[in-house]
Amino acid sequence: MTETAASLSAEDESPLRDVYLSSTRQRFKNEVNRLTRDGGMAALLEGREDAADLAFVLAWVYLYHWLTHNVPAAWREPVVARFRSGGRAFLMDLLLEPDVAGFLRGYIAHWQSLPSSGVQPPLQQQQLQRLLAARGGDPEALIADLLETWRGLDLFSRSYKVAYSEIGRAERDRYGEMLAAADRERLALVDGLPDPGFAGERPRLAKAGLIPAMGCPQTCRHCMFIWRPPKPKHADPDRLYRLVDGLADNVLFTGGDLTRQLDSFYAAIRSMPNITRFAILLNGDFADDPETTDAVLGAMAAAVDSRPADWARAQVLLQISFDEFHQEVIVDKRGQLKERIPVAKIANIVERAPYYADRVQLALLHKQTALNFSMDVFNKGVFARLAAELGRRGHRVQVLSAAPAPRPKRNPLAPDQLAPVVKDASFILTRHPDSPILFTSSTIDGYGRAAEMDAWETVKEKELLAEVLAGRTPPGVSFDIDLMFWFNGWATLFNAVHICLGDIYADGEDAVLARQRKDPLSHALHRFDTRLLDYYRELRPDLEQKIAAATGPHHLFHTLTEDAEVRLHLTRRLIEAGHAAAAGH
């Protein structure tokens, strides 16, 4: 299925229409439950004397705005049609009103029109009667007050387009601070520290990253990056290949989607004798048909085959993004449905990968949702769509193994439930039983576009964050400070590409690697040193807000260090603390 063939009109009865309506209805239902059953709106109104009476009607004002914010006009009626039953059927009609004031007039009129009887009126009618009585029975006065209260909550006050634009500008400014005055002052402080040094050859790292360029043509709702730095003009990839080849056995090529940089990946495989695993992250959009898919996988295999016999035996780890967000069915600007990246393209990759399995290991990278709390992750959602597509081609998918994450997590659709979450698995096409395909999932940190996602959409690490803040970081949990080498010369951290240890071309390799050994900020991040919270508070007033908004410890410590002036202050304070400790104070 090509992307063009995947575009459908709103009237078509088709699998994509079913997927879009099913997923959008589920999103809507989850928001209804969060705002009403789970007390989401009541929590937003906490502290008001009339909160109990306001919560229900304002929850539906929220849902009115959610619908207009997330669902194009032509698709709103089909989305809410499924819920036109029982006592809330009238609300579904009101959600289609042209403005929120019309919604509120209809809401008030509905409850006022109910005939009086000897039985106790419904709770929502009682709430409305009290709200009206407090305003002398004037519906328009109540509408004005409700709208004023709503505006005070500052929700849905900007479109996704505006929100993404603001996030993009902030990211651009963050990259613009890289190696500017504050960063250079910070690195000068690091350079002045004693070097623990090393004997003989440079110590080898667990892994290293290479970033040829940052970019991706997709606009996935969960993506952590929006603004991409310009492509380097004077790259020296061979120098970086030599450097990384002397530092690590494993290398990851990343930077969004690297389909346009595949030639650099093939060149690296042919240039780095000591590397045993070449990992690359792609979004799978290249796999238009089996022939194109074979060409890409074949080129990877050929690059491996071309390595001299006396070099380390190498394998490619082909990581393909595959989840409810990359394969989301969306409505395009013309009102037609399409998949961001069609499941059929991922099926092309899965179908062809076994023929190259001795040189190319395929892994599907998945973002955790509520489905991960059971084997439903393989029976519903995007994996089920993949299995169905492969089934149409005569394949049967068999899951061989599934293992949970080391820590239980909270199900976003059942907030009281702390349970194991499926993290790693392997599966086969039964025609190719000796060629397992990997499946691994991870959480989504709440920055970039992900900051605009609904609260229940992703799995968070709030419990782990609480442990870290209490100084009880579990074994094996750390902030990844291995180095990523950009083709433009930057050397940054895996978990924080805004923290740069210098420019390889301008500063030299030895200076950058010495900073990695000496930088107190990097090492404090690695162990989630809670002193960073105190030092941050000395300079900025918003620590509590950052903690409340953090989706996990990695997200929190990332956001603490996004500002160059803050990075400088944290580094200076860590150095001062080190001197004080050395002096015995």
Side-chain angles (χ1 to χ4, degrees):
M1 182 192 302
T2 66
E3 189 165 326
T4 300
S7 297
L8 305 157
S9 68
E11 292 76 22
D12 285 338
E13 293 295 334
S14 69
L16 276 194
R17 186 177 191 275
D18 292 344
V19 171
Y20 175 76
L21 288 178
S22 176
S23 62
T24 307
R25 286 168 180 160
Q26 188 62 54
R27 290 179 63 195
F28 176 70
K29 180 181 177 181
N30 291 342
E31 282 295 275
V32 171
N33 290 338
R34 184 178 71 85
L35 270 293
T36 58
R37 182 195 67 188
D38 298 336
M41 180 53 67
L44 290 172
L45 297 170
E46 187 175 4
R48 290 184 58 113
E49 290 184 4
D50 54 354
D53 288 340
L54 288 171
F56 186 81
V57 61
L58 286 180
W60 283 93
V61 171
Y62 179 106
L63 293 161
Y64 177 95
H65 284 89
W66 184 93
L67 199 67
T68 57
H69 195 64
N70 288 279
V71 183
W75 290 90
R76 290 171 199 159
E77 196 283 330
V79 167
V80 303
R82 181 63 59 86
F83 304 101
R84 277 201 181 93
S85 62
R88 295 187 180 179
F90 79 99
L91 288 167
M92 301 306 114
D93 293 328
L94 293 178
L95 288 173
L96 303 178
E97 285 288 331
D99 56 59
V100 69
F103 170 89
L104 287 171
R105 288 189 183 94
Y107 182 87
I108 293 170
H110 169 81
W111 291 116
Q112 288 184 318
S113 68
L114 290 185
S116 58
S117 64
V119 300
Q120 186 177 30
L123 176 61
Q124 286 77 38
Q125 188 179 30
Q126 296 178 53
Q127 292 169 345
L128 180 65
Q129 289 170 347
R130 288 192 292 268
L131 291 170
L132 279 170
R135 292 156 182 84
D138 184 351
E140 290 302 317
L142 175 56
I143 291 171
D145 285 351
L146 288 171
L147 291 176
E148 182 179 0
T149 301
W150 170 255
R151 285 191 292 270
L153 296 176
D154 194 29
L155 300 169
F156 301 107
S157 57
R158 55 183 185 170
S159 67
Y160 283 124
K161 181 178 180 180
V162 171
Y164 294 161
S165 177
E166 292 176 0
I167 295 168
R169 283 196 297 271
E171 289 182 6
R172 179 194 62 200
D173 293 343
R174 193 175 307 138
Y175 280 114
E177 291 184 328
M178 293 267 273
L179 298 185
D183 265 353
R184 281 296 174 190
E185 186 176 351
R186 189 186 93 79
L187 294 178
L189 293 175
V190 176
D191 289 339
L193 296 173
D195 190 344
F198 55 91
E201 298 181 356
R202 291 170 177 160
R204 295 188 72 76
L205 309 176
K207 65 183 180 303
L210 283 168
I211 301 180
M214 274 286 218
C216 181
Q218 299 299 328
T219 57
C220 299
R221 291 190 300 118
H222 73 297
C223 188
M224 297 181 294
F225 302 103
I226 295 180
W227 189 82
R228 312 286 184 164
K231 187 176 180 180
K233 296 180 180 179
H234 305 294
D236 186 358
D238 289 335
R239 179 175 177 179
L240 298 181
Y241 298 158
R242 291 192 298 270
L243 172 61
V244 171
D245 190 55
L247 292 174
D249 299 326
N250 300 311
V251 61
L252 168 65
F253 269 69
T254 188
D257 176 68
L258 295 184
T259 300
R260 296 180 180 178
Q261 285 77 37
L262 284 173
D263 286 344
S264 296
F265 183 62
Y266 306 147
I269 295 172
R270 295 187 172 99
S271 303
M272 305 169 77
N274 294 309
I275 301 297
T276 58
R277 172 165 288 187
F278 293 87
I280 187 169
L281 178 60
L282 300 175
N283 64 20
D285 206 24
F286 68 87
D288 293 321
D289 48 55
E291 294 74 23
T292 304
T293 307
D294 269 325
V296 173
L297 298 181
M300 293 179 181
V304 172
D305 289 341
S306 70
R307 291 165 62 87
D310 58 343
W311 285 15
R313 183 176 178 81
Q315 185 184 47
V316 169
L317 176 62
L318 174 57
Q319 301 175 322
I320 300 293
S321 298
F322 173 73
D323 48 47
E324 310 304 325
F325 309 107
H326 285 92
Q327 275 64 52
E328 184 176 26
V329 176
I330 60 174
V331 182
D332 66 17
K333 294 180 179 179
R334 298 172 296 169
Q336 296 179 316
L337 294 177
K338 71 171 187 176
E339 297 168 280
R340 289 191 187 277
I341 301 172
V343 165
K345 293 191 177 187
I346 309 303
N348 288 337
I349 299 169
V350 170
E351 187 176 39
R352 302 308 302 165
Y355 297 98
Y356 306 91
D358 57 335
R359 292 153 294 173
V360 180
Q361 171 66 65
L362 176 61
L364 302 184
L365 270 54
H366 177 267
K367 295 301 183 183
Q368 291 172 9
T369 68
L371 292 176
N372 285 76
F373 285 86
S374 72
M375 293 299 283
D376 280 349
V377 71
F378 303 112
N379 301 322
K380 299 179 179 180
V382 69
F383 196 95
R385 289 163 58 198
L386 174 64
E389 174 63 28
L390 289 165
R392 285 191 286 273
R393 304 179 186 193
H395 295 286
R396 188 166 71 87
V397 173
Q398 180 182 347
V399 176
L400 299 179
S401 64
R407 296 174 305 280
K409 301 180 183 180
R410 199 165 296 280
N411 188 330
L413 295 186
D416 295 334
Q417 181 185 126
L418 201 62
V421 57
V422 175
K423 184 182 187 301
D424 296 307
S426 64
F427 67 95
I428 57 168
L429 301 181
T430 54
R431 289 185 192 176
H432 306 281
D434 297 325
S435 302
I437 295 166
L438 306 180
F439 174 97
T440 186
S441 64
S442 61
T443 54
I444 297 173
D445 285 330
Y447 47 87
R449 290 191 185 93
E452 298 295 311
M453 296 178 70
D454 292 333
W456 55 266
E457 288 194 86
T458 63
V459 179
K460 299 174 178 60
E461 294 270 25
K462 290 287 191 179
E463 281 67 36
L464 177 60
L465 175 61
E467 287 190 67
V468 167
L469 293 179
R472 300 190 302 269
T473 302
V477 175
S478 64
F479 195 95
D480 192 342
I481 62 170
D482 284 342
L483 290 178
M484 305 274 273
F485 297 98
W486 299 53
F487 275 27
N488 69 359
W490 291 344
T492 65
L493 308 186
F494 257 79
N495 272 161
V497 294
H498 59 274
I499 296 182
C500 187
L501 296 181
D503 183 330
I504 291 292
Y505 306 145
D507 300 341
E509 301 165 10
D510 291 336
V512 169
L513 295 176
R515 289 167 185 161
Q516 184 199 32
R517 296 190 295 272
K518 297 190 293 181
D519 181 21
L521 178 56
S522 295
H523 295 294
L525 287 170
H526 180 64
R527 60 181 181 272
F528 292 118
D529 191 331
T530 55
R531 291 180 300 170
L532 294 178
L533 306 178
D534 298 324
Y535 299 155
Y536 179 89
R537 190 184 283 113
E538 294 171 351
L539 202 64
R540 296 286 187 267
D542 60 345
L543 176 63
E544 298 309 318
Q545 295 94 311
K546 285 189 176 294
I547 292 174
T551 52
H554 298 84
H555 179 209
L556 174 62
F557 281 74
H558 184 286
T559 60
L560 291 181
T561 57
E562 288 176 347
D563 183 272
E565 292 292 339
V566 172
R567 293 194 292 271
L568 173 59
H569 177 73
L570 297 179
T571 303
R572 185 180 289 120
R573 293 291 283 116
L574 288 166
I575 291 173
E576 291 170 356
H579 290 334
H585 298 305

